[in-house]
Amino acid sequence: MAEHLDTDTSGDKRAGSAKGLLQSSALVGSATMASRVLGLLRDVVLANLVGATSNADAFFVAFKIPNFLRRLFAEGAFAQAFIPVLTETREQGGLEAVRALVDRVTGVLGGVLILLTTVTILAAPVVALVFAPGFASDVSKLSLTADLIRITFPYLFLISMTGFAGGILNSYGRFGVPAFTPVLLNLSLIAAALFLAPALKEPVYALAIGVMIAGLLQLLFQIPSLYRLDLVPRPRWDTQHPGVRRILTLMIPALFGVSVSQINLLLDTVLASLLPAGSVSWLYYSDRLTELPLGIFAIAVATVILPNLSSQRARAEAVGKDPAFTATLHWALSLIVLIALPATAALLLLAKPILTTLFQYGAFGPGDVDKATWSLRAYALGLTAFMLIKVLAPGYYARQDMKTPVRIGIIAMVANMVMNPMLIFPLMWIFDLGHVGLALATSLAAWLNAGLLYRGLRREGLLLGASRGRLFRTIRIVLAILAMLGALWLCLPASDWWQNAVALHRGLAMAVMVIVGGLAYVATLLCLGIRPRDLKSPAVSL
């Protein structure tokens, strides 16, 4: 499997080739789609097994801590700091220099993670209290969370090293293996829920064990591809190596920069633990559905453009005047807007039918669907911003500019913290929807973050201003979205039908809705003059 996925998409072309970018994004997006679809299947299994119970809240908190750090390392701060340095080393020093850097980063990163994992396991009750202070009133729930943290936290070391290996492969144009790797997590959790959980008195322990096994499988899956590149790490502790010091310098601020939305989601979990039981789970399922388009498209595009932007930066004497750098950013923004806007509209309209179709079985009841529907809509309002952040941030990190995203990230995080109480308490007191305030504040903060990132790149001359052509193209996309919503509205069954239908009928109806909406959107775009070839041109921007 790994051999077939280990495809070098770079060839002899320049990294900025638009066709190469599109092909690489399609490869990463396809693998990510497989992972996200399996992730939905995983969540269906979990909803049926544990629903939105107190024990489910405990598992989701225990899983979210290392999973949050996975986002930082596998998709965020570490990759943003490591890939530009690795690319620069590869361009200037060759294979031996790359080997030296890889060996020393492995030793330092691995050593720090082992220490952090050991301390966290020993202090699990304290960690549980820090991340879920609302559980303090329920001793058994807090104790269960601590036990689950002890089991799941080694996943941090395993998945961080997996993200490190994936960064190496991505920098060499081998995007398939890292993109396919998350599939193993979903398969492991599904297998644990179906086969191990029935044998245990408390099913959530099986899920925690599944997480740890998944981390090991994901790391081992990278080794054959690294071996073919002759870059299997030989760990060495050397904090004085200039490459290691540079990565650490870049990485610390990047923890705030590119991953502010994830930090906000983690803070939401802390606050949700103080809200009524089930709030953590409602937010989890809502967030998971928002991540489907985010993961398939935004992370795929961001994964592909960072090595390309880094290569363009390493070859150019003045990045601010490099047309390929600007063209790559505009191409990425064009693709994101083309996908994010209709995805947002569809989620707003179909939030309840989607949740009913996927999760309303077993322990997850109609009341849980109602609560999760509102938080899903709140997250959907920020979906475009979440996706824009993923492709705007590499414009800074490829140039090893960490300070600007840090400042922007801090502003967005403070804004999120200020908005949380302003939205939580009114929604909780008036509508009993306090958890929706958390989701809405996160979305608003994401828009602030994306807007400031965009403005910064504009000021530096790395993004072009608005034009009549781009405005006209945006209007055509809005018209296509209206056509899509009209088609969906005409085909949408009544709310009672979704409640009474069996799983098969729900699934078939939802499949029809997706096909009808997608065809209406694409057909309208074609009628209005937007063609598939436009996606291959880096000059097209929205």
Side-chain angles (χ1 to χ4, degrees):
M1 174 70 78
E3 183 176 354
H4 294 292
L5 290 172
D6 187 17
T7 304
D8 186 349
T9 61
S10 61
D12 295 326
K13 303 175 183 178
R14 285 178 60 87
S17 167
K19 184 177 180 182
L21 289 176
L22 186 61
Q23 290 175 342
S24 299
S25 297
L27 172 64
V28 176
S30 299
T32 307
M33 178 177 289
S35 172
R36 299 293 174 164
V37 170
L38 275 174
L40 284 179
L41 178 59
R42 177 196 81 190
D43 291 334
V44 170
V45 173
L46 296 187
N48 185 64
L49 181 67
V50 297
T53 61
S54 293
N55 287 358
D57 283 354
F59 170 72
F60 290 135
V61 168
F63 180 44
K64 181 156 285 191
I65 298 170
N67 200 43
F68 157 74
L69 293 169
R70 170 187 70 85
R71 302 278 178 77
L72 298 187
F73 285 94
E75 298 166 359
F78 178 75
Q80 305 292 3
F82 173 64
I83 291 178
V85 175
L86 179 63
T87 302
E88 187 176 64
T89 302
R90 181 186 176 190
E91 294 276 347
Q92 299 176 359
L95 182 60
E96 287 302 322
V98 170
R99 282 200 195 108
L101 176 65
V102 167
D103 292 347
R104 284 155 179 81
V105 172
T106 303
V108 174
L109 177 64
V112 171
L113 289 172
I114 290 174
L115 178 61
L116 177 61
T117 300
T118 302
V119 171
T120 302
I121 290 174
L122 294 174
V126 177
V127 174
L129 192 59
V130 169
F131 285 96
F135 292 179
S137 59
D138 188 337
V139 177
S140 61
K141 188 175 182 179
L142 183 65
S143 177
L144 176 61
T145 305
D147 289 341
L148 295 174
I149 288 174
R150 292 188 183 99
I151 300 173
T152 59
F153 209 82
Y155 179 73
L156 169 61
F157 168 78
L158 297 168
I159 198 59
S160 297
M161 299 310 296
T162 299
F164 167 62
I168 298 172
L169 296 177
N170 285 337
S171 70
Y172 278 82
R174 271 74 168 180
F175 298 107
V177 168
F180 184 82
T181 297
V183 169
L184 300 176
L185 171 64
N186 297 322
L187 291 175
S188 180
L189 279 172
I190 291 171
L194 294 179
F195 303 112
L196 182 57
L200 300 180
K201 184 177 180 181
E202 178 48 64
V204 292
Y205 282 112
L207 301 179
I209 294 171
V211 168
M212 187 169 59
I213 293 174
L216 180 60
L217 294 176
Q218 288 173 308
L219 179 57
L220 293 176
F221 188 59
Q222 314 297 306
I223 302 302
S225 296
L226 291 176
Y227 180 79
R228 281 189 285 274
L229 290 174
D230 197 17
L231 287 175
V232 176
R234 296 160 295 180
R236 295 183 183 181
W237 181 273
D238 182 3
T239 57
Q240 301 305 311
H241 185 278
V244 173
R245 295 177 68 87
R246 183 63 177 156
I247 290 169
L248 292 175
T249 301
L250 296 174
M251 182 179 166
I252 293 173
L255 289 170
F256 284 91
V258 74
S259 303
V260 163
S261 62
Q262 298 304 323
I263 294 172
N264 285 337
L265 288 173
L266 191 64
L267 292 175
D268 286 353
T269 301
V270 174
L271 293 173
S273 72
L274 302 170
L275 297 174
S279 295
V280 174
S281 299
W282 300 326
L283 289 170
Y284 170 82
Y285 292 116
S286 302
D287 177 43
R288 288 292 301 164
L289 287 174
T290 308
E291 285 181 2
L292 183 62
L294 177 64
I296 292 174
F297 299 106
I299 293 174
V301 173
T303 299
V304 169
I305 66 171
L306 179 58
N308 285 274
L309 292 173
S310 299
S311 294
Q312 290 158 2
R313 182 259 178 194
R315 288 192 301 264
E317 293 182 1
V319 174
K321 299 179 181 179
D322 185 357
F325 194 96
T326 297
T328 299
L329 282 176
H330 273 288
W331 173 84
L333 290 175
S334 300
L335 202 57
I336 291 302
V337 171
L338 196 66
I339 298 300
L341 294 183
T344 297
L347 280 176
L348 290 172
L349 178 63
L350 301 178
K352 188 170 183 178
I354 291 173
L355 286 163
T356 302
T357 300
L358 293 175
F359 302 132
Q360 191 178 312
Y361 310 101
F364 200 86
D368 297 316
V369 168
D370 290 337
K371 298 289 188 181
T373 294
W374 289 106
S375 52
L376 174 56
R377 286 172 176 157
Y379 278 138
L381 292 174
L383 176 61
T384 301
F386 296 144
M387 297 177 77
L388 288 174
I389 290 169
K390 291 294 182 183
V391 298
L392 289 170
Y396 294 90
Y397 293 117
R399 297 178 295 120
Q400 300 185 20
D401 174 11
M402 302 295 169
K403 293 181 180 180
T404 303
V406 166
R407 290 195 298 267
I408 293 173
I410 291 175
I411 292 171
M413 187 179 302
V414 171
N416 184 77
M417 294 173 66
V418 171
M419 287 186 287
N420 271 332
M422 295 173 60
L423 295 171
I424 291 172
F425 293 114
L427 288 172
M428 182 171 61
W429 291 334
I430 299 173
F431 303 106
D432 192 26
L433 294 172
H435 67 290
V436 178
L438 291 169
L440 189 57
T442 298
S443 293
L444 294 174
W447 275 110
L448 177 62
N449 191 355
L452 293 176
L453 288 172
Y454 181 84
R455 187 181 69 171
L457 292 172
R458 279 285 311 278
R459 285 181 171 178
E460 295 182 33
L462 297 174
L463 285 175
L464 303 178
S467 67
R468 179 178 295 180
R470 285 189 288 275
L471 177 60
F472 182 57
R473 197 172 294 112
T474 302
I475 292 174
R476 287 185 286 178
I477 289 176
V478 172
L479 292 175
I481 292 172
L482 293 176
M484 177 194 73
L485 292 176
L488 289 174
W489 183 260
L490 291 175
C491 298
L492 185 63
S495 179
D496 291 343
W497 183 89
W498 293 101
Q499 294 294 327
N500 298 324
V502 298
L504 177 61
H505 293 166
R506 290 176 181 173
L508 290 174
M510 185 53 62
V512 170
M513 299 292 294
V514 171
I515 293 172
V516 168
L519 288 177
Y521 180 65
V522 172
T524 306
L525 288 177
L526 292 174
C527 290
L528 294 175
I530 295 181
R531 297 290 183 263
R533 64 175 177 269
D534 295 337
L535 302 180
K536 298 180 181 180
S537 173
V540 175
S541 58
L542 301 173

